[in-house]
Amino acid sequence: RTELCGDYAGHHLLIYRRGGLSGCARARRQRLIGLFRHPVPKFISALYWYAPPEARRLPPFSTKIDRWSAEDVHSMYTTMQRVRRSVLPPPNEYTAILGGGSGGGGDDHAVAQSIEVVRRGGMVVGLAEDMTASVVLIARELGWPSESMLYRSMKSGSKNATDPRWNPNRGQYHRVSHEAADAIKTMVRDDLAAYSAAREVHQQQRRSWGSGFDLELERFSRRQQTLQAGTGTQAAARCQP
């Protein structure tokens, strides 16, 4: 485990509380940190993450994602509910965690509560789709040196058909068919509202640091590019002596 939050996966919402690290003078108080991923690719990723290896080798899991139908989406999710019910998160995980809803969708109160927490809860908001800017933002908000947030971005799935983690659509989620995407959006409609609020707050927090943030992000990105990609996404946050 790393000092920041251990290993983290993009198909989960990670919200954790953390005070200052040893040797960090400016991170005295706790902050709530939320890392959000767009609910559509997050939903697709969860389907493959929780699917047993044998299920991934059969249609519709093995079908190319640009050929998925709405029926395919519901079939895969039904399969996951049957074989992974004890660990499968609800479709609207963000509003379930932040708003206290069931996560099933159509819960206006949970949506409103989630948006309120995101906008006024004082959390640092990161986006999985903009991970580099997000870790720099976290460092700034917690008073840590940005270099302490260097990370390796890696895929949890595999394109090797003999690997138990085989995912035939790895890296292709953006190619999901319009019909399947619409079906997923209906299922995760509550989380889409929470995610929209998170994007708004993320941009506001970045702007609050002025032009210095972009300069630091550019410098951080150059260092980040020197890291070798592997398998998983890890962040190592620590204060350098």
Side-chain angles (χ1 to χ4, degrees):
R1 294 182 62 82
T2 66
E3 290 181 89
L4 174 61
C5 61
D7 298 341
Y8 53 84
H11 51 78
H12 285 299
L13 167 68
L14 285 181
I15 292 184
Y16 51 92
R17 291 189 179 276
R18 181 74 196 209
L21 293 173
S22 175
C24 287
R26 292 182 294 143
R28 299 295 186 186
R29 64 191 180 91
Q30 289 186 335
R31 292 292 301 275
L32 186 63
I33 299 174
L35 175 63
F36 293 80
R37 184 181 186 183
H38 191 285
V40 172
K42 177 178 176 294
F43 180 91
I44 298 171
S45 181
L47 289 177
Y48 282 104
W49 178 262
Y50 292 103
E54 58 273 17
R56 294 188 210 131
R57 301 181 185 283
L58 300 173
F61 287 95
S62 62
T63 304
K64 287 188 176 182
I65 200 166
D66 59 356
R67 298 178 182 173
W68 281 4
S69 65
E71 182 180 352
D72 290 336
V73 170
H74 293 294
S75 172
M76 287 184 284
Y77 188 70
T78 298
T79 297
M80 293 303 92
Q81 286 183 307
R82 185 177 69 251
V83 302
R84 292 286 195 251
R85 179 176 294 276
S86 63
V87 295
L88 185 69
N92 296 280
E93 186 180 15
Y94 297 160
T95 49
I97 293 174
L98 297 175
S102 67
D107 189 335
D108 292 341
H109 175 76
V111 171
Q113 180 64 27
S114 299
I115 292 174
E116 181 72 10
V117 171
V118 170
R119 289 178 174 169
R120 309 188 192 283
M123 73 164 64
V124 184
V125 177
L127 301 177
E129 290 80 12
D130 200 355
M131 184 66 76
T132 299
S134 295
V135 297
V136 172
L137 178 63
I138 292 171
R140 281 250 171 165
E141 294 283 343
L142 298 186
W144 298 345
S146 61
E147 289 80 3
S148 68
M149 300 295 289
L150 290 169
Y151 67 94
R152 294 201 306 168
S153 180
M154 302 170 285
K155 297 293 184 181
S156 59
S158 172
K159 287 190 174 183
N160 183 349
T162 63
D163 193 315
R165 298 170 303 137
W166 179 63
N167 178 347
N169 286 308
R170 173 186 163 186
Q172 301 297 310
Y173 297 168
H174 62 290
R175 297 183 182 276
V176 63
S177 70
H178 293 301
E179 180 182 342
D182 287 344
I184 296 171
K185 288 176 183 177
T186 298
M187 297 176 70
V188 301
R189 59 190 180 278
D190 289 6
D191 269 11
L192 283 170
Y195 178 80
S196 178
R199 285 192 63 87
E200 176 186 324
V201 173
H202 174 76
Q203 294 300 329
Q204 290 172 350
Q205 291 177 343
R206 287 179 58 172
R207 289 195 297 268
S208 72
W209 288 100
S211 60
F213 183 88
D214 292 332
L215 292 173
E216 186 169 354
L217 177 59
E218 182 179 354
R219 180 173 59 85
F220 180 89
S221 296
R222 287 197 297 268
R223 296 197 62 183
Q224 183 67 44
Q225 289 172 2
T226 65
L227 296 179
Q228 179 181 0
T231 57
T233 300
Q234 296 177 322
R238 59 182 62 84
C239 283
Q240 306 299 332

